[in-house]
Amino acid sequence: MRRTAGPAVAGAAILAWGEWVNWRWSRALVGSGAGGSEAVVVLGYRNPRPTANFVNRWRVRAGIRSAAADTRVIFSGGPTGGGAAEAQLMADYAKSVLGFDGPVLLEDRSATTWENITNVIPLLEDVDRVKIVSQPAHALKARAYLRRQRPDLAERLVRADDYRFGEWMVGKPLLALYELWTLRNLTAEERQVGPGPEIRPGPPR
């Protein structure tokens, strides 16, 4: 028993760490929000195939479960490898497979996370609450970019339902290691739980 306890404890600790960091990322740079109108921005993942891939299908499901009945859902992502835009593929999946019939807008030009945010800003000007949906670390990066580009709109950020305990549990530690690298250029203030201080606009680093 003693010989097997060590690896079992280590494995449980790794899974718990993966859950914790994703939980924390999902709660960084968001507030409580106020007002009735809301937009959910679903960020696309590179998708050279003619239908939504596994990652984009999950993001669409997370976006829809984050939305209320009258929430505006914005799918954001341009074409990958000469194929259809990620935004269009996600919208098609939402409507034809999931039966989503709520209001949908497409942003189908962006190729990077910074461009995702730049291009959806005009679609967010008239809403009171903004949710950004992706894997938690990627969504945090997008929220930080919104704070850099438009701090006033970033004040409207609220939590999306893109973190659930046990979802992707086995893969979360590996994803978290990669995501720590992708978040290396965020400031300490941008990583903190809660709205945080004002961040001056600036280009991605």
Side-chain angles (χ1 to χ4, degrees):
M1 293 295 293
R2 291 181 179 178
R3 293 181 179 178
T4 59
V9 171
I14 291 171
L15 293 177
W17 174 79
E19 288 289 343
W20 180 79
V21 293
N22 278 276
W23 175 88
R24 185 172 179 82
W25 288 330
S26 73
R27 286 160 172 77
L29 296 186
V30 295
S32 56
S37 59
E38 181 178 271
V40 171
V41 179
V42 183
L43 303 177
Y45 179 76
R46 53 183 177 272
N47 199 141
R49 298 182 179 180
T51 57
N53 61 28
F54 174 77
V55 174
N56 282 327
R57 294 197 301 270
W58 179 85
R59 292 183 184 183
V60 172
R61 294 194 300 272
I64 290 176
R65 74 192 187 199
S66 299
D70 57 348
T71 297
R72 176 188 307 168
V73 177
I74 303 168
F75 295 109
S76 177
T80 303
E86 296 160 3
Q88 185 64 62
L89 296 177
M90 291 190 293
D92 291 345
Y93 177 75
K95 294 176 181 179
S96 63
V97 178
L98 302 182
F100 182 69
D101 60 358
V104 168
L105 294 176
L106 302 184
E107 182 290 297
D108 58 4
R109 295 174 296 145
S110 58
T112 66
T113 306
W114 183 264
E115 291 178 1
N116 285 134
I117 296 305
T118 300
N119 293 333
V120 300
I121 281 175
L123 308 178
L124 303 177
E125 298 279 4
D126 61 341
V127 298
D128 301 312
R129 295 156 49 90
V130 177
K131 297 176 180 178
I132 298 179
V133 172
S134 185
Q135 274 65 35
H138 186 219
L140 169 56
K141 179 191 288 188
R143 292 194 295 271
Y145 286 174
L146 182 59
R147 290 182 67 84
R148 295 180 189 183
Q149 295 186 38
R150 286 288 301 274
D152 58 319
L153 289 181
E155 293 298 321
R156 308 176 194 178
L157 286 166
V158 296
R159 279 194 60 216
D161 190 7
D162 54 5
Y163 169 82
R164 288 186 176 181
F165 178 80
E167 195 171 46
W168 296 61
M169 176 176 278
V170 175
K172 274 177 182 170
L174 289 176
L175 286 171
L177 288 173
Y178 169 74
E179 289 164 345
L180 282 171
W181 181 81
T182 68
L183 295 176
R184 67 194 183 282
N185 291 323
L186 295 191
T187 66
E189 291 81 6
E190 289 171 329
R191 294 168 183 262
Q192 73 177 0
V193 174
E198 180 176 345
I199 304 296
R200 294 182 179 179
R205 294 175 292 170

